[in-house]
Amino acid sequence: MWENGIDIYSVRQIRLRTDLYFGVGAIEYFAEIADQLTARNITSVLVVTGHSSYKRTGAWEVVERILKERNIRYALYDKVTPNPTTVEADEATALGAAAGAQAVVAIGGGSPVDTGKSAAILLKHPGKTARELFSQGFTPTGAVPIVAINLTHGTGTEVNRFAVLTIPETEQKPVIAFDCIYPTWSIDDPALMTGLSQAQTRFVSIDAVNHVIEAATSKSTNPYAVMLGKDVIELVTRYLPIADKDPTDLTARYFLLYASMLAGLSFDNGLLHYTHALEHPLSALKPELAHGLGLAVLLPAVVQTIYPHQAAVLADLLKPMAPDLEGKPEEAHAAGKAVQAWLVRCGVPQKLSDVGFQKEDVEKLVDLTIHEPSLASLLEQAPGYANATSVAAIYMNSFLPLV
C-alpha cells in the first residue's frame, strides 16, 4: 500500500488555490505564514475560533506565541458555536473592525473557519452584514487574507471556496461560494486532532464521505472529482476503524485528514446536491445536531435515490463498502443497504427519529430545502430530477432502516 511509504512527520506544502502546510508538526509552520503576513504589512489580525478546542489542542499556544514574536496584534473572538449563525459572524467582524484587523486567522473545524471566511468578506465591505451576505443581498468583490488552521478531518473548508452559516430568524442555513474566500494559507496538522472524541471522529469522517458521493455524482462533476472520491472512500473505510480504536494513532489521523482535504477539493470541483441540501434544514432547526450525524441519517436513502442515475460511478466509488455492486440501476436498494451497513459498522446507526424529528416535520423540512435559494441550487445539481416529491421521499425513507 502506497501509504506505507509516507513519512507523516515530513511537513509538505501542497500548492492548490490555497498554500497548505500538511503533516504532523505543521502548526509550527505558522511562523512562516506570520512572516508572510508581516511582508504584506499586516500588523493586526482577527482570530476566530470556538470556545475551547483551540486551547485544548495546543494550537493557540503556538499561534499566540508566534503572533507576539512578530508584533502582530490580534483581536480574539472565541464564541463560535457548532452550528454558527450570522449573528456570530457579525460579532466577530465588529471586533475585528474595531481592532483594525487586516487579515483573519480562523482556528477550528468548519464552524470557526466558515465564520472566519464570512468575517473576512465583511471586513472588506464595511456596513454590510452577514445576513445580507447569506441572503444574497450583495456580491462580495473581495476579502481580507484568510489563514485557516484546521482542527478536524471532515469539512475540507480549509482548501475550498465555501462557507455555511445559519440565519436564526428565518431558520435557514444557506451556502455561499466565492473565490475570494479560498484561504490564502492553511494548516492541516494531524497531531491537533488526536483529542477528537469518538463520536466527532466518526461524524467528521462521514462528512468527507458524503462530500465525494455527492461531488462524483452531480451534474457538474468531472473526472478529477470522481478520482478524488475513490481515494477518499478507500482511505476513510481503511483508517476510520483504526482511529476509532486508538484516537492517538497519528498515521490514521494523517490519512483521514488527507482524505478530508481531497474531499474538499472534490466538491470544490463537482459541487454537492441532495445530502447537504437536506441536512442543512435539520441542523438549522436543531443546532445541537452534529452536521456529520445529520448527513449519516440521510445518506442511505440518498444513495438509493441517485443510484439508478449514476450506477456505474457509485458502484466503483462504493467498492470498499459494497464490493459486489456491478453498476446496474436495479441495485439501488442494495447500494443503500450497503451504505447503511457501513454506517452501522462505524457505530452510527441513527435515523431521523433518533435525532429528534417526526414525520410531521417533513413538510417544513421540504419547504426549508426547496425555498432557500442556495439549497435549491444544490438540488439542481442532483442526478435525475430533484423536486419537492423526491426530497420528501428521502426524508420519509430516513426514519427507518432500509430493509
Side-chain angles (χ1 to χ4, degrees), residues 357-391:
F357 289 92
Q358 301 176 341
K359 291 182 180 179
E360 291 76 14
D361 298 320
V362 168
E363 184 177 354
K364 182 173 184 177
L365 291 169
V366 171
D367 184 68
L368 287 171
T369 306
I370 295 292
H371 294 113
E372 202 296 305
S374 69
L375 301 187
S377 69
L378 292 184
L379 292 177
E380 291 174 359
Q381 294 294 325
Y385 177 63
N387 56 21
T389 301
S390 64
V391 169

PDB file of all heavy atoms in Angstrom, residues 357-391:
ATOM      1  N   PHE A 357     -36.609  14.167  15.157  1.00  0.00           N
ATOM      2  CA  PHE A 357     -37.595  14.588  14.168  1.00  0.00           C
ATOM      3  C   PHE A 357     -38.738  13.583  14.071  1.00  0.00           C
ATOM      4  O   PHE A 357     -38.573  12.390  14.366  1.00  0.00           O
ATOM      5  CB  PHE A 357     -36.939  14.768  12.794  1.00  0.00           C
ATOM      6  CG  PHE A 357     -36.046  15.975  12.715  1.00  0.00           C
ATOM      7  CD1 PHE A 357     -34.690  15.871  12.995  1.00  0.00           C
ATOM      8  CD2 PHE A 357     -36.568  17.217  12.390  1.00  0.00           C
ATOM      9  CE1 PHE A 357     -33.861  16.976  12.941  1.00  0.00           C
ATOM     10  CE2 PHE A 357     -35.747  18.334  12.340  1.00  0.00           C
ATOM     11  CZ  PHE A 357     -34.395  18.214  12.616  1.00  0.00           C
ATOM     12  N   GLN A 358     -39.898  14.086  13.666  1.00  0.00           N
ATOM     13  CA  GLN A 358     -41.076  13.257  13.454  1.00  0.00           C
ATOM     14  C   GLN A 358     -41.552  13.438  12.017  1.00  0.00           C
ATOM     15  O   GLN A 358     -41.204  14.410  11.348  1.00  0.00           O
ATOM     16  CB  GLN A 358     -42.186  13.648  14.433  1.00  0.00           C
ATOM     17  CG  GLN A 358     -41.798  13.508  15.898  1.00  0.00           C
ATOM     18  CD  GLN A 358     -42.885  13.990  16.837  1.00  0.00           C
ATOM     19  OE1 GLN A 358     -43.790  14.739  16.430  1.00  0.00           O
ATOM     20  NE2 GLN A 358     -42.808  13.576  18.089  1.00  0.00           N
ATOM     21  N   LYS A 359     -42.357  12.491  11.578  1.00  0.00           N
ATOM     22  CA  LYS A 359     -42.836  12.569  10.193  1.00  0.00           C
ATOM     23  C   LYS A 359     -43.641  13.834   9.943  1.00  0.00           C
ATOM     24  O   LYS A 359     -43.692  14.323   8.808  1.00  0.00           O
ATOM     25  CB  LYS A 359     -43.655  11.322   9.859  1.00  0.00           C
ATOM     26  CG  LYS A 359     -42.781  10.059   9.794  1.00  0.00           C
ATOM     27  CD  LYS A 359     -43.568   8.828   9.406  1.00  0.00           C
ATOM     28  CE  LYS A 359     -42.645   7.612   9.349  1.00  0.00           C
ATOM     29  NZ  LYS A 359     -43.378   6.363   8.989  1.00  0.00           N
ATOM     30  N   GLU A 360     -44.247  14.378  11.008  1.00  0.00           N
ATOM     31  CA  GLU A 360     -44.994  15.628  10.864  1.00  0.00           C
ATOM     32  C   GLU A 360     -44.094  16.806  10.514  1.00  0.00           C
ATOM     33  O   GLU A 360     -44.562  17.859  10.056  1.00  0.00           O
ATOM     34  CB  GLU A 360     -45.752  15.940  12.155  1.00  0.00           C
ATOM     35  CG  GLU A 360     -46.903  14.991  12.454  1.00  0.00           C
ATOM     36  CD  GLU A 360     -46.452  13.631  12.980  1.00  0.00           C
ATOM     37  OE1 GLU A 360     -45.255  13.507  13.361  1.00  0.00           O
ATOM     38  OE2 GLU A 360     -47.269  12.697  12.993  1.00  0.00           O
ATOM     39  N   ASP A 361     -42.767  16.651  10.723  1.00  0.00           N
ATOM     40  CA  ASP A 361     -41.820  17.727  10.426  1.00  0.00           C
ATOM     41  C   ASP A 361     -41.427  17.778   8.953  1.00  0.00           C
ATOM     42  O   ASP A 361     -40.807  18.750   8.501  1.00  0.00           O
ATOM     43  CB  ASP A 361     -40.529  17.546  11.246  1.00  0.00           C
ATOM     44  CG  ASP A 361     -40.775  17.619  12.741  1.00  0.00           C
ATOM     45  OD1 ASP A 361     -41.577  18.476  13.164  1.00  0.00           O
ATOM     46  OD2 ASP A 361     -40.162  16.817  13.481  1.00  0.00           O
ATOM     47  N   VAL A 362     -41.760  16.750   8.194  1.00  0.00           N
ATOM     48  CA  VAL A 362     -41.250  16.637   6.821  1.00  0.00           C
ATOM     49  C   VAL A 362     -41.716  17.792   5.949  1.00  0.00           C
ATOM     50  O   VAL A 362     -40.929  18.335   5.156  1.00  0.00           O
ATOM     51  CB  VAL A 362     -41.641  15.277   6.208  1.00  0.00           C
ATOM     52  CG1 VAL A 362     -41.377  15.259   4.702  1.00  0.00           C
ATOM     53  CG2 VAL A 362     -40.863  14.156   6.888  1.00  0.00           C
ATOM     54  N   GLU A 363     -42.949  18.208   6.087  1.00  0.00           N
ATOM     55  CA  GLU A 363     -43.444  19.307   5.248  1.00  0.00           C
ATOM     56  C   GLU A 363     -42.602  20.572   5.446  1.00  0.00           C
ATOM     57  O   GLU A 363     -42.227  21.238   4.468  1.00  0.00           O
ATOM     58  CB  GLU A 363     -44.905  19.602   5.567  1.00  0.00           C
ATOM     59  CG  GLU A 363     -45.517  20.683   4.668  1.00  0.00           C
ATOM     60  CD  GLU A 363     -46.984  20.926   4.942  1.00  0.00           C
ATOM     61  OE1 GLU A 363     -47.578  20.182   5.759  1.00  0.00           O
ATOM     62  OE2 GLU A 363     -47.555  21.863   4.333  1.00  0.00           O
ATOM     63  N   LYS A 364     -42.288  20.894   6.708  1.00  0.00           N
ATOM     64  CA  LYS A 364     -41.472  22.079   6.965  1.00  0.00           C
ATOM     65  C   LYS A 364     -40.053  21.887   6.451  1.00  0.00           C
ATOM     66  O   LYS A 364     -39.456  22.806   5.876  1.00  0.00           O
ATOM     67  CB  LYS A 364     -41.443  22.388   8.463  1.00  0.00           C
ATOM     68  CG  LYS A 364     -40.635  23.643   8.796  1.00  0.00           C
ATOM     69  CD  LYS A 364     -40.753  24.028  10.262  1.00  0.00           C
ATOM     70  CE  LYS A 364     -40.027  25.338  10.538  1.00  0.00           C
ATOM     71  NZ  LYS A 364     -40.172  25.780  11.942  1.00  0.00           N
ATOM     72  N   LEU A 365     -39.496  20.693   6.627  1.00  0.00           N
ATOM     73  CA  LEU A 365     -38.149  20.423   6.145  1.00  0.00           C
ATOM     74  C   LEU A 365     -38.067  20.569   4.633  1.00  0.00           C
ATOM     75  O   LEU A 365     -37.113  21.139   4.088  1.00  0.00           O
ATOM     76  CB  LEU A 365     -37.706  19.014   6.570  1.00  0.00           C
ATOM     77  CG  LEU A 365     -37.463  18.805   8.063  1.00  0.00           C
ATOM     78  CD1 LEU A 365     -37.297  17.320   8.372  1.00  0.00           C
ATOM     79  CD2 LEU A 365     -36.221  19.584   8.522  1.00  0.00           C
ATOM     80  N   VAL A 366     -39.058  20.050   3.936  1.00  0.00           N
ATOM     81  CA  VAL A 366     -39.093  20.181   2.473  1.00  0.00           C
ATOM     82  C   VAL A 366     -39.163  21.645   2.079  1.00  0.00           C
ATOM     83  O   VAL A 366     -38.446  22.106   1.169  1.00  0.00           O
ATOM     84  CB  VAL A 366     -40.281  19.401   1.883  1.00  0.00           C
ATOM     85  CG1 VAL A 366     -40.437  19.711   0.389  1.00  0.00           C
ATOM     86  CG2 VAL A 366     -40.091  17.905   2.095  1.00  0.00           C
ATOM     87  N   ASP A 367     -39.997  22.402   2.774  1.00  0.00           N
ATOM     88  CA  ASP A 367     -40.140  23.825   2.463  1.00  0.00           C
ATOM     89  C   ASP A 367     -38.816  24.563   2.654  1.00  0.00           C
ATOM     90  O   ASP A 367     -38.425  25.378   1.808  1.00  0.00           O
ATOM     91  CB  ASP A 367     -41.219  24.437   3.352  1.00  0.00           C
ATOM     92  CG  ASP A 367     -41.489  25.896   3.004  1.00  0.00           C
ATOM     93  OD1 ASP A 367     -42.017  26.156   1.914  1.00  0.00           O
ATOM     94  OD2 ASP A 367     -41.146  26.770   3.824  1.00  0.00           O
ATOM     95  N   LEU A 368     -38.111  24.274   3.760  1.00  0.00           N
ATOM     96  CA  LEU A 368     -36.827  24.937   4.019  1.00  0.00           C
ATOM     97  C   LEU A 368     -35.769  24.544   2.993  1.00  0.00           C
ATOM     98  O   LEU A 368     -34.857  25.319   2.690  1.00  0.00           O
ATOM     99  CB  LEU A 368     -36.332  24.577   5.424  1.00  0.00           C
ATOM    100  CG  LEU A 368     -37.080  25.232   6.592  1.00  0.00           C
ATOM    101  CD1 LEU A 368     -36.634  24.631   7.922  1.00  0.00           C
ATOM    102  CD2 LEU A 368     -36.841  26.747   6.600  1.00  0.00           C
ATOM    103  N   THR A 369     -35.887  23.350   2.450  1.00  0.00           N
ATOM    104  CA  THR A 369     -34.925  22.887   1.438  1.00  0.00           C
ATOM    105  C   THR A 369     -35.211  23.507   0.080  1.00  0.00           C
ATOM    106  O   THR A 369     -34.310  24.025  -0.592  1.00  0.00           O
ATOM    107  CB  THR A 369     -34.971  21.351   1.326  1.00  0.00           C
ATOM    108  OG1 THR A 369     -34.772  20.761   2.609  1.00  0.00           O
ATOM    109  CG2 THR A 369     -33.891  20.849   0.371  1.00  0.00           C
ATOM    110  N   ILE A 370     -36.448  23.449  -0.327  1.00  0.00           N
ATOM    111  CA  ILE A 370     -36.833  23.864  -1.672  1.00  0.00           C
ATOM    112  C   ILE A 370     -36.770  25.379  -1.854  1.00  0.00           C
ATOM    113  O   ILE A 370     -36.392  25.885  -2.914  1.00  0.00           O
ATOM    114  CB  ILE A 370     -38.262  23.360  -2.008  1.00  0.00           C
ATOM    115  CG1 ILE A 370     -38.289  21.830  -2.064  1.00  0.00           C
ATOM    116  CG2 ILE A 370     -38.766  23.955  -3.310  1.00  0.00           C
ATOM    117  CD1 ILE A 370     -37.508  21.236  -3.214  1.00  0.00           C
ATOM    118  N   HIS A 371     -37.118  26.124  -0.800  1.00  0.00           N
ATOM    119  CA  HIS A 371     -37.286  27.566  -0.956  1.00  0.00           C
ATOM    120  C   HIS A 371     -36.107  28.397  -0.484  1.00  0.00           C
ATOM    121  O   HIS A 371     -36.169  29.635  -0.566  1.00  0.00           O
ATOM    122  CB  HIS A 371     -38.581  28.021  -0.260  1.00  0.00           C
ATOM    123  CG  HIS A 371     -39.820  27.464  -0.902  1.00  0.00           C
ATOM    124  ND1 HIS A 371     -40.645  26.568  -0.279  1.00  0.00           N
ATOM    125  CD2 HIS A 371     -40.338  27.646  -2.149  1.00  0.00           C
ATOM    126  CE1 HIS A 371     -41.632  26.247  -1.101  1.00  0.00           C
ATOM    127  NE2 HIS A 371     -41.466  26.883  -2.233  1.00  0.00           N
ATOM    128  N   GLU A 372     -35.037  27.770   0.009  1.00  0.00           N
ATOM    129  CA  GLU A 372     -33.823  28.522   0.314  1.00  0.00           C
ATOM    130  C   GLU A 372     -32.983  28.518  -0.964  1.00  0.00           C
ATOM    131  O   GLU A 372     -32.610  27.457  -1.457  1.00  0.00           O
ATOM    132  CB  GLU A 372     -33.055  27.863   1.478  1.00  0.00           C
ATOM    133  CG  GLU A 372     -32.116  28.790   2.223  1.00  0.00           C
ATOM    134  CD  GLU A 372     -30.974  29.298   1.347  1.00  0.00           C
ATOM    135  OE1 GLU A 372     -30.263  28.453   0.780  1.00  0.00           O
ATOM    136  OE2 GLU A 372     -30.838  30.533   1.202  1.00  0.00           O
ATOM    137  N   PRO A 373     -32.676  29.687  -1.535  1.00  0.00           N
ATOM    138  CA  PRO A 373     -32.065  29.725  -2.867  1.00  0.00           C
ATOM    139  C   PRO A 373     -30.775  28.924  -3.015  1.00  0.00           C
ATOM    140  O   PRO A 373     -30.590  28.225  -4.019  1.00  0.00           O
ATOM    141  CB  PRO A 373     -31.823  31.227  -3.098  1.00  0.00           C
ATOM    142  CG  PRO A 373     -32.862  31.903  -2.266  1.00  0.00           C
ATOM    143  CD  PRO A 373     -33.017  31.045  -1.048  1.00  0.00           C
ATOM    144  N   SER A 374     -29.875  29.006  -2.036  1.00  0.00           N
ATOM    145  CA  SER A 374     -28.603  28.296  -2.198  1.00  0.00           C
ATOM    146  C   SER A 374     -28.801  26.788  -2.122  1.00  0.00           C
ATOM    147  O   SER A 374     -28.104  26.023  -2.808  1.00  0.00           O
ATOM    148  CB  SER A 374     -27.580  28.760  -1.151  1.00  0.00           C
ATOM    149  OG  SER A 374     -27.945  28.352   0.150  1.00  0.00           O
ATOM    150  N   LEU A 375     -29.758  26.328  -1.306  1.00  0.00           N
ATOM    151  CA  LEU A 375     -30.030  24.889  -1.234  1.00  0.00           C
ATOM    152  C   LEU A 375     -30.762  24.423  -2.490  1.00  0.00           C
ATOM    153  O   LEU A 375     -30.508  23.320  -2.989  1.00  0.00           O
ATOM    154  CB  LEU A 375     -30.844  24.562   0.016  1.00  0.00           C
ATOM    155  CG  LEU A 375     -30.216  24.946   1.361  1.00  0.00           C
ATOM    156  CD1 LEU A 375     -31.052  24.413   2.521  1.00  0.00           C
ATOM    157  CD2 LEU A 375     -28.776  24.450   1.465  1.00  0.00           C
ATOM    158  N   ALA A 376     -31.635  25.261  -3.015  1.00  0.00           N
ATOM    159  CA  ALA A 376     -32.301  24.921  -4.275  1.00  0.00           C
ATOM    160  C   ALA A 376     -31.280  24.773  -5.400  1.00  0.00           C
ATOM    161  O   ALA A 376     -31.422  23.908  -6.272  1.00  0.00           O
ATOM    162  CB  ALA A 376     -33.329  25.994  -4.627  1.00  0.00           C
ATOM    163  N   SER A 377     -30.233  25.597  -5.357  1.00  0.00           N
ATOM    164  CA  SER A 377     -29.198  25.483  -6.387  1.00  0.00           C
ATOM    165  C   SER A 377     -28.418  24.181  -6.243  1.00  0.00           C
ATOM    166  O   SER A 377     -27.950  23.612  -7.242  1.00  0.00           O
ATOM    167  CB  SER A 377     -28.252  26.686  -6.342  1.00  0.00           C
ATOM    168  OG  SER A 377     -27.457  26.674  -5.176  1.00  0.00           O
ATOM    169  N   LEU A 378     -28.274  23.685  -5.003  1.00  0.00           N
ATOM    170  CA  LEU A 378     -27.645  22.371  -4.819  1.00  0.00           C
ATOM    171  C   LEU A 378     -28.533  21.278  -5.414  1.00  0.00           C
ATOM    172  O   LEU A 378     -28.036  20.355  -6.076  1.00  0.00           O
ATOM    173  CB  LEU A 378     -27.403  22.092  -3.333  1.00  0.00           C
ATOM    174  CG  LEU A 378     -26.366  22.936  -2.596  1.00  0.00           C
ATOM    175  CD1 LEU A 378     -26.194  22.436  -1.163  1.00  0.00           C
ATOM    176  CD2 LEU A 378     -25.026  22.941  -3.309  1.00  0.00           C
ATOM    177  N   LEU A 379     -29.818  21.377  -5.168  1.00  0.00           N
ATOM    178  CA  LEU A 379     -30.737  20.365  -5.701  1.00  0.00           C
ATOM    179  C   LEU A 379     -30.694  20.312  -7.227  1.00  0.00           C
ATOM    180  O   LEU A 379     -30.895  19.246  -7.816  1.00  0.00           O
ATOM    181  CB  LEU A 379     -32.163  20.642  -5.220  1.00  0.00           C
ATOM    182  CG  LEU A 379     -32.422  20.458  -3.718  1.00  0.00           C
ATOM    183  CD1 LEU A 379     -33.859  20.842  -3.395  1.00  0.00           C
ATOM    184  CD2 LEU A 379     -32.129  19.022  -3.285  1.00  0.00           C
ATOM    185  N   GLU A 380     -30.432  21.447  -7.844  1.00  0.00           N
ATOM    186  CA  GLU A 380     -30.321  21.456  -9.309  1.00  0.00           C
ATOM    187  C   GLU A 380     -29.160  20.592  -9.792  1.00  0.00           C
ATOM    188  O   GLU A 380     -29.139  20.171 -10.954  1.00  0.00           O
ATOM    189  CB  GLU A 380     -30.141  22.887  -9.811  1.00  0.00           C
ATOM    190  CG  GLU A 380     -31.383  23.756  -9.631  1.00  0.00           C
ATOM    191  CD  GLU A 380     -31.118  25.207 -10.008  1.00  0.00           C
ATOM    192  OE1 GLU A 380     -29.967  25.523 -10.388  1.00  0.00           O
ATOM    193  OE2 GLU A 380     -32.063  26.025  -9.921  1.00  0.00           O
ATOM    194  N   GLN A 381     -28.198  20.328  -8.911  1.00  0.00           N
ATOM    195  CA  GLN A 381     -27.047  19.512  -9.278  1.00  0.00           C
ATOM    196  C   GLN A 381     -27.299  18.017  -9.091  1.00  0.00           C
ATOM    197  O   GLN A 381     -26.476  17.194  -9.483  1.00  0.00           O
ATOM    198  CB  GLN A 381     -25.827  19.911  -8.423  1.00  0.00           C
ATOM    199  CG  GLN A 381     -25.329  21.314  -8.682  1.00  0.00           C
ATOM    200  CD  GLN A 381     -24.781  21.465 -10.077  1.00  0.00           C
ATOM    201  OE1 GLN A 381     -24.181  20.546 -10.644  1.00  0.00           O
ATOM    202  NE2 GLN A 381     -25.000  22.631 -10.667  1.00  0.00           N
ATOM    203  N   ALA A 382     -28.420  17.653  -8.482  1.00  0.00           N
ATOM    204  CA  ALA A 382     -28.681  16.238  -8.193  1.00  0.00           C
ATOM    205  C   ALA A 382     -28.919  15.450  -9.468  1.00  0.00           C
ATOM    206  O   ALA A 382     -29.570  15.936 -10.396  1.00  0.00           O
ATOM    207  CB  ALA A 382     -29.889  16.114  -7.271  1.00  0.00           C
ATOM    208  N   PRO A 383     -28.413  14.215  -9.536  1.00  0.00           N
ATOM    209  CA  PRO A 383     -28.699  13.390 -10.716  1.00  0.00           C
ATOM    210  C   PRO A 383     -30.191  13.083 -10.794  1.00  0.00           C
ATOM    211  O   PRO A 383     -30.877  12.956  -9.776  1.00  0.00           O
ATOM    212  CB  PRO A 383     -27.874  12.122 -10.466  1.00  0.00           C
ATOM    213  CG  PRO A 383     -27.618  12.097  -9.004  1.00  0.00           C
ATOM    214  CD  PRO A 383     -27.587  13.516  -8.544  1.00  0.00           C
ATOM    215  N   GLY A 384     -30.701  12.990 -12.014  1.00  0.00           N
ATOM    216  CA  GLY A 384     -32.136  12.835 -12.172  1.00  0.00           C
ATOM    217  C   GLY A 384     -32.801  14.189 -12.066  1.00  0.00           C
ATOM    218  O   GLY A 384     -32.251  15.201 -12.512  1.00  0.00           O
ATOM    219  N   TYR A 385     -33.967  14.212 -11.445  1.00  0.00           N
ATOM    220  CA  TYR A 385     -34.708  15.471 -11.316  1.00  0.00           C
ATOM    221  C   TYR A 385     -35.146  15.615  -9.868  1.00  0.00           C
ATOM    222  O   TYR A 385     -35.999  14.862  -9.382  1.00  0.00           O
ATOM    223  CB  TYR A 385     -35.919  15.489 -12.254  1.00  0.00           C
ATOM    224  CG  TYR A 385     -36.774  16.725 -12.112  1.00  0.00           C
ATOM    225  CD1 TYR A 385     -36.260  17.992 -12.403  1.00  0.00           C
ATOM    226  CD2 TYR A 385     -38.096  16.634 -11.678  1.00  0.00           C
ATOM    227  CE1 TYR A 385     -37.029  19.133 -12.256  1.00  0.00           C
ATOM    228  CE2 TYR A 385     -38.880  17.774 -11.547  1.00  0.00           C
ATOM    229  CZ  TYR A 385     -38.343  19.017 -11.829  1.00  0.00           C
ATOM    230  OH  TYR A 385     -39.118  20.143 -11.694  1.00  0.00           O
ATOM    231  N   ALA A 386     -34.554  16.565  -9.155  1.00  0.00           N
ATOM    232  CA  ALA A 386     -34.894  16.790  -7.753  1.00  0.00           C
ATOM    233  C   ALA A 386     -36.047  17.770  -7.656  1.00  0.00           C
ATOM    234  O   ALA A 386     -36.037  18.832  -8.290  1.00  0.00           O
ATOM    235  CB  ALA A 386     -33.674  17.327  -7.005  1.00  0.00           C
ATOM    236  N   ASN A 387     -37.040  17.421  -6.847  1.00  0.00           N
ATOM    237  CA  ASN A 387     -38.164  18.316  -6.610  1.00  0.00           C
ATOM    238  C   ASN A 387     -38.712  18.027  -5.219  1.00  0.00           C
ATOM    239  O   ASN A 387     -38.149  17.222  -4.466  1.00  0.00           O
ATOM    240  CB  ASN A 387     -39.246  18.148  -7.689  1.00  0.00           C
ATOM    241  CG  ASN A 387     -39.726  16.713  -7.803  1.00  0.00           C
ATOM    242  OD1 ASN A 387     -39.574  15.916  -6.880  1.00  0.00           O
ATOM    243  ND2 ASN A 387     -40.314  16.381  -8.943  1.00  0.00           N
ATOM    244  N   ALA A 388     -39.809  18.674  -4.874  1.00  0.00           N
ATOM    245  CA  ALA A 388     -40.382  18.505  -3.539  1.00  0.00           C
ATOM    246  C   ALA A 388     -40.743  17.052  -3.263  1.00  0.00           C
ATOM    247  O   ALA A 388     -40.599  16.562  -2.128  1.00  0.00           O
ATOM    248  CB  ALA A 388     -41.616  19.397  -3.381  1.00  0.00           C
ATOM    249  N   THR A 389     -41.172  16.340  -4.284  1.00  0.00           N
ATOM    250  CA  THR A 389     -41.563  14.937  -4.109  1.00  0.00           C
ATOM    251  C   THR A 389     -40.361  14.067  -3.764  1.00  0.00           C
ATOM    252  O   THR A 389     -40.409  13.249  -2.829  1.00  0.00           O
ATOM    253  CB  THR A 389     -42.258  14.409  -5.370  1.00  0.00           C
ATOM    254  OG1 THR A 389     -43.413  15.210  -5.641  1.00  0.00           O
ATOM    255  CG2 THR A 389     -42.661  12.961  -5.204  1.00  0.00           C
ATOM    256  N   SER A 390     -39.258  14.237  -4.497  1.00  0.00           N
ATOM    257  CA  SER A 390     -38.079  13.413  -4.235  1.00  0.00           C
ATOM    258  C   SER A 390     -37.440  13.782  -2.899  1.00  0.00           C
ATOM    259  O   SER A 390     -36.946  12.905  -2.173  1.00  0.00           O
ATOM    260  CB  SER A 390     -37.064  13.552  -5.374  1.00  0.00           C
ATOM    261  OG  SER A 390     -36.566  14.879  -5.480  1.00  0.00           O
ATOM    262  N   VAL A 391     -37.467  15.072  -2.552  1.00  0.00           N
ATOM    263  CA  VAL A 391     -36.917  15.497  -1.263  1.00  0.00           C
ATOM    264  C   VAL A 391     -37.738  14.906  -0.121  1.00  0.00           C
ATOM    265  O   VAL A 391     -37.188  14.371   0.848  1.00  0.00           O
ATOM    266  CB  VAL A 391     -36.887  17.044  -1.185  1.00  0.00           C
ATOM    267  CG1 VAL A 391     -36.580  17.513   0.239  1.00  0.00           C
ATOM    268  CG2 VAL A 391     -35.853  17.601  -2.158  1.00  0.00           C
TER     269      VAL A 391
END
